[in-house]
Amino acid sequence: MITDAYTVNQLKKEAPVFGQLSFDDHEQIVFCQDKDTGLNAIIGVHNTILGPALGGTRMYDYATEWDALNDVLRLSRGMTYKAAITGLNLGGGKAVIIGDPKKIKTEALMKRFGEFVHTLGGTYYTAEDVGMETSDMDTVREVTPYVTGISESKGGAGNPSAVTAYGVYMGMKASAKYVYSKDTLEGKKILVEGIGHVGEELVKLVSSEGAQVIISDIDEDKLHKVSTKYNTTIYRGDDFYAETADIYAPCALGATITTKTIDSLKVKIIAGAANNQLENENVHGVSLQKKGIVYAPDFLINAGGIINVYAEIEGYGRNQIIEKTENIYTTTLDILTKAKVLGITTNAAALSIAEERIMNKKMKK
């Protein structure tokens, strides 16, 4: 793996796509631009061996196009493993739209993006992610059938946030079972970073079980709303990661688990909804292992969302959605145990299971 800063910067200039450390044999990358609507988007299709690529569209005001490209590559790769480990017949894909959703998102822009999705002919199905709402998916649906997570009133599975949070909750309880020999979260001190749609739903679940919840977010209005609604504590200290607690739940953007934050962390478990939580999955997975912190792999425990939207493609109902999401509990326990027995990181254990399923399907083709 390349870590030298000069080499990385040179690759950015000389090989801005294939030189990306996160490229990882992506099948297709589509750059989408429309000057009339202001659309600048990237669609990443990582792998379609198990089925069509599925992954949400994220709208975010990235500092650079490089950041946007790196994000879509990391996210689409993660979707491949998320679908594989969950047993879904799906591949991994993702899309990002560059810009502040509060400023540039319009119906015309969303429809134009949907037209780009349609040109892929079903290789990629989009869905809701950060900066998006169910209503946006309804708009995209007007121009392409290759979209999931549309409103229930329109025959869809609706907003996947609640199911995503429920899967994280299952993974968190399984991790507690592994560490504390019982899965109750009552009395546990939980740090929740990021209280968007999924984060708030997770706060609701753990608070109802009697956990002591401390929340952090850049949105002050949301902090006060959630704090009042669920009787949680707003973090006002200088170093959120240094707060002594039982569980850290990253639910904002990814890459919050770094060398610096690992040094600060005083928790036994990391189990959250954010994608790509490890800044470097090889380096930081090992660091967590050495420090004795149990990490519930994010692409496993946040898979409730993809389970929810996959229902629209496969046609199964609410009971099956919940059943498949609850199975995250058992899979998490299996992976934590496997990692311990083999002496490997939990992330590596999860990846090995996902990669084995993909390889088996590839061998049969």
Side-chain angles (χ1 to χ4, degrees), residues 7-250:
T7 304
V8 171
N9 286 331
Q10 284 300 110
L11 282 172
K12 288 181 182 180
K13 296 176 182 178
E14 299 170 9
V17 178
F18 302 117
Q20 284 264 21
L21 299 180
S22 48
F23 181 74
D24 191 44
D25 296 325
H26 273 71
E27 293 178 6
Q28 192 173 13
I29 302 170
V30 181
F31 295 88
C32 317
Q33 184 180 57
D34 182 71
K35 292 183 178 179
D36 291 338
T37 60
L39 174 70
N40 289 292
I42 309 171
I43 300 172
V45 177
H46 178 251
N47 189 291
T48 57
I49 290 174
L50 295 177
L54 189 152
T57 295
R58 172 172 295 184
M59 184 178 282
Y60 187 73
D61 194 14
Y62 293 96
T64 67
E65 292 177 6
W66 168 268
D67 292 332
L69 177 59
N70 186 56
D71 203 27
V72 78
L73 290 174
R74 281 169 58 87
L75 289 166
S76 53
R77 176 179 180 269
M79 292 302 296
T80 293
Y81 297 123
K82 185 180 301 189
I85 202 165
T86 313
L88 306 180
N89 296 320
L90 289 172
K94 206 78 176 184
V96 298
I97 298 176
I98 302 170
D100 186 341
K102 294 180 181 179
K103 296 179 179 179
I104 73 162
K105 190 199 296 181
T106 63
E107 183 176 334
L109 182 145
M110 292 309 305
K111 285 185 176 179
R112 189 70 184 96
F113 171 71
E115 289 169 354
F116 277 107
V117 171
H118 193 70
T119 64
L120 296 178
T123 298
Y124 167 68
Y125 280 74
T126 195
E128 181 184 336
D129 202 285
V130 174
M132 289 289 156
E133 305 291 341
T134 304
S135 59
D136 297 316
M137 296 304 103
D138 292 343
T139 299
V140 172
R141 184 65 177 79
E142 292 179 27
V143 297
T144 182
Y146 306 123
V147 56
T148 60
I150 61 176
S151 299
E152 292 181 76
S153 62
K154 297 181 181 295
N159 190 318
S161 298
V163 183
T164 301
Y166 188 58
V168 175
Y169 177 61
M170 288 292 101
M172 187 181 289
K173 287 179 71 67
S175 300
K177 174 72 173 178
Y178 180 82
V179 173
Y180 301 112
S181 299
K182 55 182 181 179
D183 64 14
T184 180
L185 300 178
E186 183 178 3
K188 294 291 185 288
K189 188 175 180 181
I190 303 175
L191 307 177
V192 180
E193 182 180 26
I195 47 173
H197 293 316
V198 177
E200 181 177 349
E201 287 288 341
L202 182 62
V203 168
K204 176 183 176 181
L205 289 167
V206 298
S207 296
S208 66
E209 195 173 326
Q212 179 188 350
V213 184
I214 299 174
I215 57 176
S216 175
D217 198 281
I218 59 174
D219 189 331
E220 281 291 328
D221 291 337
K222 194 70 183 290
L223 278 174
H224 286 289
K225 174 188 170 185
V226 172
S227 177
T228 301
K229 193 173 182 180
Y230 302 110
N231 193 30
T232 63
T233 301
I234 299 174
Y235 183 74
R236 296 300 186 193
D238 297 322
D239 188 352
F240 183 71
Y241 304 105
E243 183 75 11
T244 300
D246 298 292
I247 301 170
Y248 163 49

